[in-house]
Amino acid sequence: MKPNVCVYPGSFDPVTLGHLDIIKRACAIFAEVRVAVLNNPDKTKAFSVEERIAMLEKACQNLPNVRIDSFSGLLVSYMRKTGAGIVIRGLRSAGDFETEFQMAQMNSRLNESVESLFMMTSPGYAYISSSIIKQIASFGGDISAFVPDCILPEIIERFQNR
Ligand code: COA
């Protein structure tokens, strides 16, 4: 049977319009898109996993075939545990390609039933990243063109209080 589920993993600290673009386009192809938030306690994040999940839930509330989940440890273990076989990732630049190429090859080596598929980021989002948005917010800059409207207030508030 052909797969009808894909997993879109990432840190989403926070989710951006670039991520949302990939999620929406994946929704048009797959019956179910599982957005999997990496819970990595070693990495300092601006938002907790619970906050990142809540922001994704808000941002995806009009997309009925999206499910938000979290995972820790290896992505291939999560894929095995949930029975999913397809990983979706976005590509913004040649730099992304280098990293993604290595990850895709390693994931396939660790679990040969995992297939990685890539979507070119829509041109308007190629220069966005979560870190750059956090940096702009921390200096009081306008980030409204880069993140979903529904989560804008909580991002601004987080950085106002720092
Ligand atoms: N539009 C805009 N920005 C995008 C984007 C898009 N389409 N796609 C990615 N980004 C940005 C993110 O905002 C993020 O920016 P930042 O670095 O400034 O925070 C950056 O690109 C990468 O983020 P993301 O796509 O969330 O990936 P990640 O590097 O945080 O996470 C995992 C990658 C989770 C898939 C990978 O680390 C993983 O699988 N980890 C689990 C452990 C494991 O299995 N390791 C072995 C891997 S071979």
Side-chain angles (χ1 to χ4, degrees), residues 3-48:
N4 58 5
V5 175
C6 73
V7 171
Y8 181 41
S11 302
F12 306 106
D13 186 46
V15 59
T16 69
L17 289 179
H19 294 127
L20 203 55
D21 166 58
I22 300 289
I23 295 171
K24 283 181 183 163
R25 287 161 55 202
C27 280
I29 301 170
F30 293 92
E32 184 181 316
V33 176
R34 278 183 208 152
V35 181
V37 181
L38 176 63
N39 184 1
N40 183 353
D42 297 339
K43 278 197 176 176
T44 313
K45 298 287 176 200
F47 298 94
S48 68

Side-chain angles (χ1 to χ4, degrees), residues 8-14 16-19 21-22 38 43 45 71 73-76 89-92 96 100 102-104 106-107 110 121 125 128-132 134:
Y8 181 41
S11 302
F12 306 106
D13 186 46
T16 69
L17 289 179
H19 294 127
D21 166 58
I22 300 289
L38 176 63
K43 278 197 176 176
K45 298 287 176 200
F71 74 105
L74 290 177
L75 176 61
V76 290
R89 296 283 292 165
L91 287 179
R92 292 164 300 168
D96 277 357
E100 295 298 336
Q102 186 186 25
M103 276 204 295
M106 182 54 86
N107 283 335
L110 294 172
T121 297
Y125 304 123
I128 298 179
S129 77
S130 300
S131 306
I132 209 163
K134 286 182 280 190

